[in-house]
Amino acid sequence: MRARLFLAALVLAASPALAAPVEVTRFHTPDSITTLGRNTVAVVAAPGTDPNSLEIRAWLQAVEAELAALKFGTATPGAADAVAEVRVEREVQRTERQRGPVSVGVGGATGGWNSGVGLGLGFNLGGGPKARVHTRLVVTIRSRTTGLSLWEGRADNIENEKAKAASVDQAAPRLAHALFSGFPGTSGATITVK
């Protein structure tokens, strides 16, 4: 019996943690999708984002790869039919411990022939505060000539800060793939992509 429990614990410890699902919402109209077609798209950092940062480059490359897989052509921003503006928001959320690490409880009962006093001691083995990374990828595809939005989408994911899936090199391609999965998607609907 002990050997089975040890083996089960070993298998659980050795198995990789699964990445959390990605929630995806997209917006478009039939006319905007017709206008977009499968023309050339330039992928750029959204206004207010540093286009030279190493982090945004990973996200730009992930979006470019997904658009190429969908058979969109690539071009420079001045020559493309449309421009895909990429914005990424990452926030670390910390949850504080709700109670102290040690708790003590005392109880007692008396009456008749039976009486007793009990003492309980509990330890919180949960460790310190947990940190989770909330990542949101937002892509807006605009007509280069009119500036009108043709397709918009956002992908949200929350991972444990220490998980490999929270790193930019893993999160960027995974969120971009989820965002463009089933392109153009049902407008206004939020789906979960595992």
Side-chain angles (χ1 to χ4, degrees), residues 69-84:
L70 290 170
K71 307 294 187 225
F72 282 97
T74 58
T76 61
D81 299 307
V83 177

Side-chain angles (χ1 to χ4, degrees), residues 9-95:
L10 187 60
V11 168
L12 286 175
S15 61
L18 297 176
V22 179
E23 285 192 356
V24 174
T25 309
R26 281 96 45 121
F27 301 95
H28 56 83
T29 65
D31 291 341
S32 68
I33 292 301
T34 301
T35 301
L36 177 59
R38 287 291 194 266
N39 294 321
T40 57
V41 178
V43 179
V44 299
T49 304
D50 179 7
N52 297 317
S53 79
L54 294 175
E55 182 175 359
I56 196 65
R57 285 187 203 165
W59 295 96
L60 295 174
Q61 289 171 353
V63 170
E64 283 176 351
E66 290 302 320
L67 289 172
L70 290 170
K71 307 294 187 225
F72 282 97
T74 58
T76 61
D81 299 307
V83 177
E85 297 174 348
V86 178
R87 179 180 311 283
V88 179
E89 301 163 6
R90 288 175 60 91
E91 175 186 8
V92 177
Q93 303 167 338
R94 299 196 189 285
T95 55

